[in-house]
Amino acid sequence: MKIGVVGCGMVGSASAYALVMSGVGREIVLVDLKRERAEAEANDISHAVPFAHPLVVRAGDYADLNDARVVIIAGGVAQKPGETRLQLLQRNADVFRQIVPSILRSASEAVLLVVSNPVDVMTQLAAHFAAEFGVPPTRVIGSGTTLDTARFRTLLGHHFDVDSRHVHAYVLGEHGDSEVLAWSQATIAGLSLDDFAKVHGKPLTAADRTRIDENVRRAAYHIIAGKGATYYGIGAPSRELWMFCCTINARSLPSARG
């Protein structure tokens, strides 16, 4: 199965690396405005294959996305320190106006997975541009609050000193400042947070909740201030998002079944 990654900055390359380490697909094609960047990332990531899974990782052009089942869109300009995701909108909208048609001219049956910020609005724009090619909105999805959810689970795990993989908690709404942490639905070992706090012997105070909420909501700003960009966190769930995309693809495309 071929997977395309358009945009080989830190997010795109981290996503491709995560796919290789998870053994997702059989061929990953990296496309970037700067061909030398795509070639360098493909070369570097391919050196991880002997330690991971048998995949082909190569650089290509949009034409090389032909027959791709899923195309991850990570293209766009990076968020600057102090800049909100919504302030990125106009600059990245211009980029998507070029990227989406270029993908669909070659990969007309692919599911588009948008990870570029501001991801919710960019996903809507991608669906708008894709509609011009007859692509239904059900074949355009965004990473949404996947990363925010991971941050929430991580911080709850740190607070209670438990493996964050066993924390079940979700962030809803926008991937941005208005997101909502669903505290009432969070569980650990099948117990609500209040019940788990009693069993575990460590309280979860109002101050703790405020601190965790702030660190989830403002995580990107702190990371960008320290190292210029976030990319590992959003690259890591590529496997799960890919599986969801393939489910969509299988349901919507007869050729994908079997």
Side-chain angles (χ1 to χ4, degrees), residues 68-87:
R69 288 276 296 277
V70 176
V71 176
I72 299 172
I73 304 179
V77 295
Q79 187 175 356
K80 299 177 181 179
E83 183 180 36
T84 68
R85 294 181 181 92
L86 290 179
Q87 288 173 329

Side-chain angles (χ1 to χ4, degrees), residues 132-217:
E132 298 175 5
F133 289 79
V135 176
T138 51
R139 276 177 44 206
V140 182
I141 70 170
S143 55
T145 54
T146 304
L147 177 55
D148 311 280
T149 290
R151 291 167 174 163
F152 191 19
R153 292 172 60 190
T154 297
L155 291 173
L156 284 173
H158 287 170
H159 178 79
F160 287 112
D161 194 26
V162 299
D163 187 340
S164 59
R165 292 174 298 175
H166 301 305
V167 177
H168 303 281
Y170 300 93
V171 175
L172 310 177
E174 176 205 15
H175 174 54
D177 298 335
S178 68
E179 64 193 27
V180 177
L181 279 64
W183 290 97
S184 64
Q185 300 302 308
T187 63
I188 301 176
L191 300 175
S192 69
L193 295 182
D194 289 338
D195 288 342
F196 185 82
K198 294 176 183 177
V199 172
H200 190 64
K202 183 173 184 178
L204 182 65
T205 66
D208 293 327
R209 290 175 183 255
T210 298
R211 172 180 51 81
I212 291 173
D213 185 288
E214 173 69 10
N215 287 336
V216 170
R217 198 179 304 276

Side-chain angles (χ1 to χ4, degrees), residues 8-87:
C8 297
M10 299 308 298
V11 172
S13 57
S15 298
Y17 178 73
L19 292 173
V20 169
M21 299 308 292
S22 299
V24 172
R26 286 295 175 264
E27 180 180 6
I28 300 174
V29 179
L30 305 183
V31 178
D32 195 88
L33 181 63
K34 297 180 179 179
R35 176 64 184 246
E36 62 272 21
R37 177 61 185 260
E39 291 176 348
E41 293 292 356
N43 195 23
D44 192 12
I45 294 171
S46 68
H47 296 161
V49 169
F51 304 100
H53 301 273
L55 285 84
V56 174
V57 184
R58 65 184 180 92
D61 298 314
Y62 285 107
D64 296 302
L65 298 177
N66 182 45
D67 296 330
R69 288 276 296 277
V70 176
V71 176
I72 299 172
I73 304 179
V77 295
Q79 187 175 356
K80 299 177 181 179
E83 183 180 36
T84 68
R85 294 181 181 92
L86 290 179
Q87 288 173 329

Side-chain angles (χ1 to χ4, degrees), residues 15 18-19 21-24 235-245:
S15 298
L19 292 173
M21 299 308 292
S22 299
V24 172
S238 296
R239 177 180 180 274
E240 287 72 18
L241 292 169
W242 169 83
M243 292 176 65
F244 181 64
C245 288

Side-chain angles (χ1 to χ4, degrees), residues 100-106 108 127-136 139:
V100 174
S102 298
I103 293 172
L104 294 175
R105 290 188 187 104
S106 297
S108 60
H128 172 74
F129 296 139
E132 298 175 5
F133 289 79
V135 176
R139 276 177 44 206

